[in-house]
Amino acid sequence: MLHELPVLSQPPLPDKEGAPVPASTVPDDFGLTHDATRSADAPLTDPFGRRHTYLRISLVERCNLRCRYCMPADGLAWTPSPQLLTDAELVRLARLFVGAGVTKIRLTGGEPLLRTTIEALADEIGALPGLHTLAITTNGLLLPKKIDGLQRAGVSLLNISLDTLRADRFAEITRRPGLPLVHRAIDEAIRRGYAPVKINCVVMRGVNDDELVDFVRWTEERPVAVRFIEFMPFDGNRWADDRLVPFGEMLQRIRAAVPLERLTEGPHETSRTFRVPGYRGTVGFIASMTEPFCEGCNRLRITADGNLKVCLFGNAEVSLRDAMRDGASDAALRALIGEAVGRKHARHAGMDALSAMENRPMITIGG
Ligand code: SF4
């Protein structure tokens, strides 16, 4: 399997002198030291006191698009389906995490709407007591067909990926046609009252960065929240720092064309949000490379093959699938989860180190 990664082998982040240091004794980047002797009944709180209330669950590895920043150019050896989580395993894990304090779950992929049981899964997960928000990130192609069932299941937040407003460029970036379908999905989501509909746009220099202002103008009449995402390094996406357009530069280039007012956002919000005065929609920037937001991180991820990933850029993973299939009790799973969260680092290793580190292709993480 292409992405058989070492489990729990990631070394602690080096201190300024490069020597590895355990999380519990050194002040983190925020000058805070934390006691690693965390309480067993708070498995989702890490050594830095961050409570993880947001779980992203990847339902499938497959996708009906081939976006260049997500899908390795040379393709992927898909995980055989018997090794992917079953519906029952997914619901069991969702129940366990919600029971431990998760209040928001996002269903991702690959393309989550390709999972044929997604409406039934959303129904079960959406009904979990204690869950406040059920969200989905999709490329939109299948959304018009599925939105009715998803909305009835309680999906209250929709993120739709769209990296260009040009049909030719859409085919260039995604290696597939489909722009009109995505626009149809966005319009249908707006018509059904999703507000804002969040639009995820990965900005790559020399690919779509000349559309920044076009996207901002596109928010004038639409209740959408366009989020410009800094290009991130994942296995096989040929990331290079000269292909990254930093947040600061994006903001400057947009402000040269239109006025932007800064809006406030919540403590765990990854996006810095702005609005053109008088426009219905907003624009935001997710600057995980140049201005990381790790201090407020509340996110955990489960991959489609059942690994817990405590950090998007961390390559240490623990298999909850194997533990479940070996007969682990809920208490044993909680302990396993607590251990993994207990090894979470204060922040990611920095973009230069990340681009040299082994990680998964984005398509098998779910962003
Ligand atoms: S890089 Fe890791 S620690 Fe930082 S915000 Fe993302 S998931 Fe959290």
Side-chain angles (χ1 to χ4, degrees):
M1 192 154 48
L2 183 68
H3 50 261
E4 272 296 346
L5 292 168
V7 172
L8 294 183
S9 64
Q10 180 184 354
L13 286 170
D15 70 359
K16 301 287 172 278
E17 278 74 43
V21 290
S24 62
T25 59
V26 67
D28 65 23
D29 270 26
F30 322 109
L32 307 174
T33 55
H34 297 282
D35 174 11
T37 53
R38 306 167 22 261
S39 62
D41 51 3
L44 303 187
T45 301
D46 71 19
F48 307 96
R50 296 173 296 192
R51 286 184 56 235
H52 295 77
T53 55
Y54 178 8
L55 179 66
R56 299 172 65 105
I57 305 178
S58 171
L59 299 184
V60 290
E61 291 182 343
R62 294 180 183 270
C63 186
N64 43 6
L65 291 179
R66 295 282 178 276
C67 303
R68 293 176 184 278
Y69 52 81
C70 179
M71 175 76 180
D74 324 325
L76 192 64
W78 305 108
T79 304
S81 33
Q83 291 171 31
L84 298 177
L85 291 177
T86 63
D87 287 3
E89 289 167 338
L90 277 165
V91 173
R92 180 182 176 194
L93 289 178
R95 182 176 292 112
L96 199 81
F97 277 89
V98 171
V102 159
T103 56
K104 177 178 177 182
I105 288 180
R106 178 175 297 279
L107 305 178
T108 67
E111 170 48 43
L113 303 193
L114 284 175
R115 184 141 186 159
T116 51
T117 55
I118 188 162
E119 287 113 319
L121 269 175
D123 245 343
E124 281 200 76
I125 294 173
L128 290 171
L131 187 71
H132 303 161
T133 306
L134 182 58
I136 288 186
T137 297
T138 169
N139 61 29
L141 299 185
L142 296 172
L143 189 61
K145 287 202 193 95
K146 305 263 180 180
I147 194 167
D148 199 45
L150 296 172
Q151 197 166 28
R152 270 187 285 108
V155 172
S156 59
L157 204 50
L158 282 175
N159 289 43
I160 300 175
S161 307
L162 182 62
D163 308 304
T164 176
L165 297 172
R166 292 170 37 178
D168 59 337
R169 194 169 276 173
F170 185 94
E172 173 56 32
I173 294 173
T174 68
R175 303 184 183 109
R176 299 280 187 280
L179 184 60
L181 281 175
V182 180
H183 277 305
R184 211 176 114 217
I186 294 167
D187 294 343
E188 179 62 14
I190 292 171
R191 194 186 68 75
R192 284 170 175 269
Y194 285 92
V197 176
K198 295 191 173 183
I199 307 296
N200 292 354
C201 174
V202 176
V203 179
M204 296 160 282
R205 194 180 299 285
V207 176
N208 59 348
D209 60 317
D210 59 352
E211 291 186 68
L212 290 169
V213 176
D214 299 341
F215 264 107
V216 174
R217 295 217 162 96
W218 187 67
T219 68
E220 181 168 6
E221 302 300 338
R222 289 176 184 79
V224 293
V226 172
R227 297 115 61 81
F228 296 119
I229 302 171
E230 286 184 343
F231 184 29
M232 299 175 275
F234 292 103
D235 270 23
N237 74 356
R238 302 186 174 160
W239 184 89
D241 57 8
D242 61 6
R243 299 183 64 204
L244 164 84
V245 185
F247 158 47
E249 179 188 335
M250 290 195 264
L251 190 60
Q252 199 184 19
R253 285 167 63 175
I254 293 170
R255 279 199 155 136
V258 288
L260 284 178
E261 58 189 11
R262 182 88 164 84
L263 305 177
T264 53
E265 58 271 323
H268 302 301
E269 180 53 57
T270 56
S271 174
R272 287 152 176 93
T273 310
F274 299 76
R275 181 195 303 275
V276 176
Y279 280 23
R280 287 188 69 192
T282 63
V283 290
F285 302 85
I286 299 181
S288 56
M289 292 296 101
T290 59
E291 295 191 22
F293 31 78
C294 302
E295 70 274 14
C297 184
N298 66 336
R299 290 167 293 282
L300 297 172
R301 292 167 171 85
I302 294 179
T303 59
D305 59 355
N307 278 8
L308 173 63
K309 215 173 157 60
V310 295
C311 170
L312 176 60
F313 296 113
N315 59 13
E317 300 181 2
V318 58
S319 178
L320 301 180
R321 176 202 64 199
D322 294 350
M324 284 190 287
R325 293 182 184 182
D326 293 345
S329 66
D330 282 0
L333 287 174
R334 258 196 302 276
L336 206 53
I337 293 163
E339 257 179 51
V341 173
R343 294 170 188 266
K344 183 162 182 169
H345 297 293
R347 63 187 188 336
H348 67 60
M351 68 181 178
D352 297 329
L354 290 177
S355 60
M357 255 168 69
E358 191 180 331
N359 194 356
R360 289 172 173 249
M362 180 167 161
I363 195 166
T364 67
I365 303 173

